Amino acid sequence: MNSKAHDRLQENPPLDGFTIELLGELARPLASPASPGEDLRTEVASLYLRARQEQLTAPIVRLFARLLELHRAGQGTPADFALSAADLEGLAQRHQQIDEHMVSVGGRLTRALPIATTANARVEEYLSDKERLAPSGTDLWERILDNKRRIMAALGMDEAAWNSFPGQIRHAVDSVETLARLVDLPPAQLESVARVTKSYRMRLTPYYTSLIMPGVINDPIMLQSVPTGEMIDNAGIEIPPVAADHSPARLVDQFYPRVVTIKATNMCAMYCTHCLRLAHIGRKDQVYAREAYAEALDYIRANPRIRDVLVTGGDAFVLPNAMLRWLLGELDAIDHVRLKRLGTRIPVTAPMRVDDELLDILEESNDRKPIRVVTQINTAQEITPVSRDAFRRLSKRTFAVLNQAVLLKGINDSRVKMWKLCETVHEAYVRPYYLFNCSYRNPQFVHFRVPLEVGRDLVESMYGNISGDAIPRYIATAGGKIPLHRSNVVGRNGNEVILRKPWSGEEVSYPDADAEVYGNARYSFNK
Ligand SMILES: *Cc1c(COP(=O)(O)O)cnc(C)c1O
Ligand code: SF4
């Protein structure tokens, strides 16, 4: 023992209120006197011995916990076990001396441990259900590999084709006939898909198709990628896409003074059934003219307020490497553009696209000015060892990888599914950023929409239960992003505000800063 630790052990810290209360409870006589048997006496004696001998806090806590338990069960007081008040006080002091933060045995046993137990109870159901109700692609990996072998054989793909982005696009599933060979949909449903795909484009990469679990009704991967009859049955009046009223220049959308988007392509590796940009995505692939990009860049160049440019689409990673290198180079060369983002779902729909050349381009640009990759993952099932690895490499070469999920009925609108999504994404080097309420603009996916109060409950339920940096902000898009969070300031009593803890509903009083002091106080170093 070094001399400092020794000095500390010499002190006799005063017992705190919690410990005095604990000792008081233990000293209280029992309603009917007990005479504990041999077994119990041996057990307590050995707990006491360990608590005395070891330079540890846990044996002391164990002894007190057992004594409290026996006392509450009417099986004996410490005196019945030949322990005096002085013995217990000595041990309580010892606990405080050993603990680096001088935590008392009373505080630990009667306050901290019960609080931790209550907290644990909040996640029990989630922990027992998460793998069954919201399996990740990693949980399902063996079955995904079976699907992969089956799909490769059906499509005549070899490993090289599977592992290359062009191979994934060349073999993409875009007809009902091909789909029927790969997933086990009943004939009536295939007919419905055939009907819908006359109006809406379907395209799944073979990789994304391998994430669909055979035999699962309403598999969340299938729901996101295979259009259903509702898209047509719900068709009504489409509210014009944002582009019409928020595009001040070719390819550019702008809501905000400091951030704009460039819709650099209308192509995606996979077409989502809930796509907000349905009107111009997933109809016909278009390769944009150089002049279009030039006009977008001119607009940005001429607007010195713009500091952050979001290159999106469609999917930014559909752009060929040479094009991405050029575009990022042009943006980096604009003095007032200080950061960039790339919007892409490809790390989950076709992770093979994330190759070394792409990573080099991103790192090169990131070294000039920070670049974030903004992705869209809606279920834990989309995180496989392959997509996780793509995100791991992206996160090493860029400033951040962020997730913008869409809240979708039947796909991620339960606690277990949403918590599992956020935790799985987090464990895959991706930070949950936004959770979007599904758009009202397109009647084609009204069946996916979730009421705001349900979304709020989901988001609020995460506070205190999962890591803070895994909790997304809940957003409505309505000509800009509008936060939907519930306020936890529920009242005010003079200068005290009443705050609610989202995880327990408990209300606490919180002294606000005094407005008058705030208005008048002056401070300075040189008084
Ligand atoms: C989403 C979006 C942005 C970025 O918004 P943030 O809140 O900064 O993520 C900017 N412009 C447009 C047009 C957008 O749709
Ligand atoms: S990746 Fe994005 S832009 Fe492409 S189809 Fe899906 S939601 Fe639409």
Side-chain angles (χ1 to χ4, degrees):
M1 195 186 306
N2 64 37
S3 69
K4 198 159 170 234
H6 195 260
D7 285 351
R8 203 157 50 80
L9 282 183
Q10 294 305 306
E11 298 159 13
N12 264 351
L15 297 174
D16 73 345
F18 299 134
T19 305
I20 290 165
E21 196 181 294
L22 171 64
L23 293 174
E25 179 171 355
L26 287 173
R28 222 172 290 143
L30 296 175
S32 52
S35 55
E38 180 68 27
D39 282 3
L40 275 186
R41 278 183 290 134
T42 316
E43 184 199 335
V44 172
S46 109
L47 285 174
Y48 177 67
L49 205 64
R50 305 253 321 258
R52 283 286 305 264
Q53 281 172 345
E54 295 181 41
Q55 272 300 316
L56 297 170
T57 55
I60 300 173
V61 175
R62 270 200 295 274
L63 171 71
F64 276 95
R66 187 67 176 130
L67 288 174
L68 195 59
E69 190 180 45
L70 289 168
H71 190 280
R72 285 178 179 173
Q75 290 185 275
T77 62
D80 295 327
F81 297 101
L83 296 176
S84 69
D87 291 334
L88 296 185
E89 257 175 52
L91 279 178
Q93 236 139 22
R94 212 171 125 76
H95 183 282
Q96 237 161 299
Q97 287 163 340
I98 296 171
D99 190 273
E100 282 68 17
H101 299 156
M102 286 182 281
V103 173
S104 72
V105 68
R108 183 157 281 156
L109 182 61
T110 65
R111 295 301 191 279
L113 285 169
I115 288 172
T117 305
T118 310
N120 289 343
R122 295 200 304 265
V123 298
E124 282 317 314
E125 201 180 331
Y126 168 66
L127 293 178
S128 70
D129 286 350
K130 68 185 176 111
E131 198 166 327
R132 186 171 53 86
L133 297 181
S136 71
T138 304
D139 298 332
L140 298 169
W141 188 232
E142 287 307 316
R143 293 173 67 189
I144 291 170
L145 287 177
D146 285 343
N147 295 341
K148 172 186 167 185
R149 282 186 282 271
R150 189 170 42 75
I151 292 167
M152 281 173 72
L155 299 178
M157 292 177 80
D158 57 16
E159 276 292 333
W162 184 275
N163 292 326
S164 83
F165 182 63
Q168 288 286 329
I169 297 301
R170 204 165 52 242
H171 291 93
V173 182
D174 55 9
S175 73
V176 187
E177 293 70 35
T178 315
L179 183 74
R181 286 161 55 214
L182 305 181
V183 301
D184 55 345
L185 277 175
Q189 293 201 14
L190 284 170
E191 259 168 52
S192 148
V193 177
R195 186 164 59 96
V196 179
T197 47
K198 288 201 182 80
S199 316
Y200 296 102
R201 190 167 177 188
M202 172 178 72
R203 176 158 84 181
L204 293 80
T205 57
Y207 167 83
Y208 202 73
T209 313
S210 77
L211 308 185
I212 298 174
M213 287 298 117
V216 174
I217 298 163
N218 289 336
D219 176 275
I221 301 296
M222 179 128 81
L223 288 175
Q224 289 183 68
S225 53
V226 177
T228 59
E230 284 79 12
M231 281 187 83
I232 289 189
D233 301 339
N234 292 342
I237 298 160
E238 236 174 279
I239 297 166
V242 177
D245 42 359
H246 285 282
S247 182
R250 203 164 165 189
L251 303 190
V252 173
D253 277 353
Q254 182 166 26
F255 302 138
Y256 312 126
R258 306 281 273 158
V259 198
V260 297
T261 64
I262 301 180
K263 294 162 293 175
T265 171
N266 79 332
M267 293 184 256
C268 298
M270 185 273 276
Y271 293 109
C272 307
T273 52
H274 55 273
C275 179
L276 177 75
R277 301 181 193 262
L278 199 65
H280 90 125
I281 303 294
R283 295 278 161 120
K284 192 170 174 295
D285 290 350
Q286 276 177 274
V287 176
Y288 299 163
R290 273 286 162 129
E291 298 81 64
Y293 298 108
E295 281 196 54
L297 289 167
D298 282 345
Y299 179 79
I300 294 166
R301 254 183 232 112
N303 283 276
R305 287 176 195 83
I306 299 170
R307 84 183 255 283
D308 187 3
V309 176
L310 172 43
V311 178
T312 176
D315 193 309
F317 281 6
V318 162
L319 295 172
N321 283 341
M323 176 72 199
L324 268 177
R325 180 180 277 124
W326 172 77
L327 193 55
L328 290 171
E330 291 293 305
L331 290 172
D332 288 331
I334 301 172
D335 190 46
H336 55 266
V337 172
R338 301 301 169 87
L339 312 91
K340 300 91 54 182
R341 294 183 231 184
L342 293 179
T344 176
R345 253 204 117 170
I346 277 181
V348 291
T349 58
M352 338 27 218
R353 170 70 179 93
V354 184
D355 58 13
D356 289 338
E357 194 189 342
L358 173 62
L359 292 166
D360 288 344
I361 291 167
L362 297 182
E363 184 174 356
E364 227 170 81
S365 176
N366 187 59
D367 283 344
R368 292 190 292 259
K369 293 169 185 180
I371 186 163
R372 297 95 93 207
V373 173
V374 183
T375 192
Q376 186 198 137
I377 312 162
N378 299 322
T379 58
Q381 200 163 325
E382 288 159 280
I383 298 292
T384 66
V386 178
S387 57
R388 181 179 184 275
D389 201 53
F391 286 124
R392 180 185 60 79
R393 287 177 293 138
L394 285 168
S395 78
K396 275 167 90 168
R397 313 286 286 272
T398 61
F399 168 35
V401 185
L402 306 170
N403 188 38
Q404 301 187 330
V406 185
L407 179 57
L408 297 165
K409 182 183 172 189
I411 292 176
N412 55 21
D413 63 333
S414 74
R415 245 179 223 215
V416 174
K417 288 173 182 169
M418 186 52 70
W419 290 18
K420 178 75 179 266
L421 167 65
C422 292
E423 288 198 341
T424 308
V425 156
H426 202 206
E427 290 160 24
Y429 304 86
V430 178
R431 214 162 288 150
Y433 173 39
Y434 281 151
L435 175 65
F436 290 124
N437 221 34
C438 189
S439 170
Y440 63 92
R441 284 179 177 266
N442 299 81
Q444 294 90 336
F445 40 72
V446 68
H447 54 288
F448 278 143
R449 298 194 74 213
V450 175
L452 206 134
E453 283 305 313
V454 174
R456 282 178 159 177
D457 282 344
L458 281 176
V459 176
E460 286 291 304
S461 76
M462 287 191 262
Y463 285 93
N465 292 325
I466 72 175
S467 308
D469 67 330
I471 304 174
R473 284 177 245 173
Y474 184 36
I475 300 288
T477 44
K481 298 180 176 72
I482 306 173
L484 294 173
H485 283 254
R486 187 174 286 153
S487 172
N488 285 299
V489 182
V490 295
R492 180 180 273 279
N493 255 333
N495 202 44
E496 300 277 316
V497 285
I498 314 297
L499 303 183
R500 180 184 47 217
K501 298 184 180 182
W503 54 90
S504 63
E506 185 197 343
E507 291 183 0
V508 291
S509 184
Y510 176 85
D512 196 3
D514 188 287
E516 202 164 319
V517 174
Y518 176 69
N520 298 327
R522 296 283 176 271
Y523 60 87
S524 156
F525 283 118
N526 43 7
K527 275 237 169 82

